[in-house]
Amino acid sequence: MKDKTIKRIALGGILAAATILLTTLVSIPIPGGLGFVNLGDAGVLTAAFLLGGPWGALCGGAASALSDLLLGYGHYAPATFLIKGGMALVFGLLYRALPNRVRVAAFFIASLLVPAGYFLYETILYGAVAAAPNLLFNLVQGLIGAGIALAVCKISEKTGLRGKQP
């Protein structure tokens, strides 16, 4: 295995652990029992920023799905893997495609997949009427996570951490 791949896997493990901690230690149940809000989106977007879209998607999606299992929301794990992985992929594509002066938008645009994805999944599970109130909670969670990730990623750029990544 190449040295670069080993470093990427190690960084992915560290970022996955951080995402699990952000998700499980700061989890607030949504009224009505349909899921919980957390800070894990910050970890997912930071992983996508530091690892790139595909590696970030695998890291963030797997860590977020594992968090669902750990918190007793196993029925959300498959959807979470797809939603959070999709958020990381969209972020990676947008970040590379957008000009430097508007790359900040990639964090917030990608975070919109959280409310959209969970609304679709919860509509399938519970119906649109039951899923609708969670839209606001998931939107706020996604935007807060994007803001935190943006701050962390700006710091990593200024300190040179991002430039040293594989």
Side-chain angles (χ1 to χ4, degrees):
M1 205 179 287
K2 293 181 181 178
D3 188 46
K4 194 176 196 179
T5 303
I6 292 169
K7 287 179 182 178
R8 192 169 286 208
I9 290 170
L11 179 60
I14 292 166
L15 291 167
T19 301
I20 290 169
L21 288 173
L22 285 167
T23 304
T24 57
L25 294 180
V26 186
S27 64
I28 303 162
I30 294 175
L34 302 182
F36 57 94
V37 294
N38 59 76
L39 297 178
D41 293 349
V44 173
L45 290 169
T46 301
F49 180 79
L50 292 175
L51 295 170
W55 280 85
L58 180 60
C59 174
S64 298
L66 182 57
S67 296
D68 281 347
L69 293 172
L70 291 171
L71 290 168
Y73 291 90
H75 58 289
Y76 276 89
T80 295
F81 180 79
L82 295 173
I83 293 165
K84 302 299 176 115
M87 178 175 64
L89 276 175
V90 167
F91 169 80
L93 292 170
L94 286 172
Y95 195 83
R96 284 184 20 201
L98 291 172
N100 281 343
R101 66 186 186 288
V102 293
R103 281 188 170 165
V104 168
F107 288 90
F108 298 97
I109 294 169
S111 75
L112 295 177
L113 270 119
V114 173
Y118 283 115
F119 178 73
L120 176 63
Y121 186 67
E122 290 170 347
T123 297
I124 292 167
L125 289 181
Y126 312 114
V129 173
N134 287 354
L135 269 170
L136 179 61
F137 291 107
N138 287 318
L139 177 64
V140 170
Q141 171 186 302
L143 294 176
I144 289 172
I148 293 169
L150 175 61
V152 168
C153 293
K154 288 294 182 188
I155 290 168
S156 75
E157 276 185 327
K158 295 215 183 288
T159 60
L161 177 65
R162 183 160 196 256
K164 296 177 185 174
Q165 299 314 312

